[in-house]
Amino acid sequence: MFVFNSRISRLSLAISLCAATGAALAAEAPPAFKACAGCHKIEAGAKLMGPSLFGVYGRKAASVADFAYSDAMKASGVTWDDAHLSSFIADPKTVLPGTKMVYAGLKKPDEVLAVIEFLKSLK
Ligand code: HEC
């Protein structure tokens, strides 16, 4: 009985630790950022399928040195401000034909705004 109980309490400790970590992350990233997090890390230098989004706001497109961007992204000449981010995030393939970002786009304007606000905070 004692063993059984201590297993349960260890399990619930583990669960509450996970819940605490989850809450900390949720407070920073808006729910809509889940659509990006599968391909983008937010820590400097960390890449997944896409480049790290750390410091992306206000920076020139394709400027993470060791990331193999598409020619389209390299040639875009874009600086990631509100206007360029919101159009690209909403419909990457139409806005930048040839992009390697294989993502349909975030369609709800309020979610786009929330994601951009979050990107601004990554510095
Ligand atoms: C399926 C993977 C994938 C998803 C999902 C995705 N991205 Fe990307 N993203 C990429 C790739 C790959 C690139 C590089 C594109 C290129 O070189 O053409 C990229 C590039 C970018 C860039 C340009 C970065 C730079 O350094 O110039 C931004 C900004 C960006 N993504 C934001 C987002 C946001 C915000 C979301 C969520 C709404 C998102 N991405 C979802 C894969 C993804």
Side-chain angles (χ1 to χ4, degrees):
M1 194 57 188
F2 173 73
V3 173
F4 179 69
N5 275 336
S6 74
R7 271 208 198 122
I8 298 268
S9 59
R10 245 181 283 148
L11 183 65
S12 56
L13 177 65
I15 290 172
S16 50
L17 282 177
C18 290
T21 315
L25 286 176
E28 287 178 19
F33 191 73
K34 284 199 190 115
C36 325
C39 293
H40 290 285
K41 290 252 187 192
I42 54 173
E43 297 81 13
K47 67 181 155 187
L48 291 174
M49 189 108 76
S52 166
L53 294 179
F54 181 84
V56 75
Y57 188 86
R59 141 181 120 190
K60 290 212 85 174
S63 52
V64 172
D66 66 343
F67 187 82
Y69 290 97
S70 64
D71 291 340
M73 186 64 82
K74 285 190 270 190
S76 70
V78 152
T79 295
W80 292 122
D81 55 14
D82 290 77
H84 287 106
L85 278 172
S86 57
S87 58
F88 180 66
I89 290 170
D91 196 355
K93 275 191 183 166
T94 305
V95 171
L96 193 65
T99 181
K100 279 165 69 175
M101 180 154 139
V102 184
Y103 171 60
L106 203 56
K107 298 304 174 200
K108 294 187 184 158
D110 56 328
E111 293 188 344
V112 172
L113 285 180
V115 166
I116 293 174
E117 284 310 306
F118 176 61
L119 295 181
K120 284 181 187 173
S121 75
L122 303 176
K123 54 187 176 190

